[in-house]
Amino acid sequence: MKKLIIKISLIILTIFLLFSFAKSILPISSHIAKGNGMAPSIQKGNIFKVNKRIKIFNRGDIILYKLPFDKSEYFQRIIAVPDDKIEIKRNYLGITEVYLNDKLLNEPYKIKKKELSNHPKAIQMKPAIIKKYSYFVMSDERDLSFDSRFFGPLPKWFIKGKVIDIEK
């Protein structure tokens, strides 16, 4: 009887470990937006799917990443890729404008509204060149964004995957 209990316990443990391992290596994962940092593209409560096998990222892609000093995962938009020159200014209307390679970036996904954050890094960033294997990320809702303006360009190895579907 004791051997049977041990065998059943081992089988249950093995199934649990296999399920946990399989879940961590599956190429597609689902996530629920916990805030409105990417509104209107992704709003609080929306479910979005991430493809973890995608390893090539482009400007405009929404990605999921994890910072080494934080347990949370974040999703934001790639604004600049390696070798891009980026500069940020707040215009006279209080709207953050991104200049990419010396041209004003067209951001149709971003609501053009006066932003309230008075943090110096949210208002202005001097021109910078994005290094190899790094990406400059920002949220669409800039007032709710802790992004590359604050922690710098995001190393590629922090990126978990690319958002491929948003259920609204």
Side-chain angles (χ1 to χ4, degrees), residues 67 133-135 151-159:
L67 298 171
Y133 306 115
S134 295
Y135 298 88
F151 56 75
L154 183 72
K156 184 176 185 172
W157 48 89
F158 292 178
I159 300 174

Side-chain angles (χ1 to χ4, degrees), residues 8-131:
I8 292 172
S9 297
L10 287 174
I11 290 170
I12 291 171
L13 179 62
T14 303
I15 291 170
F16 174 77
L17 291 174
L18 284 173
F19 178 75
S20 297
F21 178 71
K23 188 176 177 185
S24 69
I25 63 167
L26 287 174
I28 307 293
S29 60
S30 293
H31 304 266
I32 298 174
K34 296 176 184 162
N36 280 317
M38 281 300 293
S41 302
I42 301 175
Q43 297 180 18
K44 186 176 182 177
N46 287 159
I47 297 171
F48 59 97
K49 293 186 176 156
V50 174
N51 186 327
K52 295 185 259 181
R53 286 197 180 148
I54 295 175
K55 298 298 177 194
I56 297 172
F57 307 104
N58 300 298
R59 274 185 229 106
D61 287 348
I62 299 173
I63 55 153
L64 182 75
Y65 67 91
K66 185 178 179 323
L67 298 171
F69 55 81
D70 194 340
K71 292 179 183 176
S72 299
E73 292 180 321
Y74 298 93
F75 55 102
Q76 292 180 331
R77 188 178 301 279
I78 293 177
I79 301 295
V81 298
D83 297 322
D84 277 345
K85 178 182 175 185
I86 187 165
E87 181 178 9
I88 298 172
K89 303 175 188 175
R90 189 166 288 173
N91 68 20
Y92 69 95
L93 297 172
I95 299 170
T96 301
E97 294 179 324
V98 176
Y99 290 84
L100 190 62
N101 302 318
D102 297 318
K103 294 180 183 169
L104 180 62
L105 181 63
N106 178 26
E107 298 185 276
Y109 44 79
K110 181 182 175 289
I111 295 175
K112 309 285 190 266
K113 68 174 183 115
K114 182 176 182 174
E115 292 158 25
L116 304 174
S117 174
N118 60 3
H119 193 286
K121 290 183 177 184
I123 295 171
Q124 182 172 341
M125 186 185 96
K126 293 179 183 179
I129 304 293
I130 305 303
K131 293 182 181 174

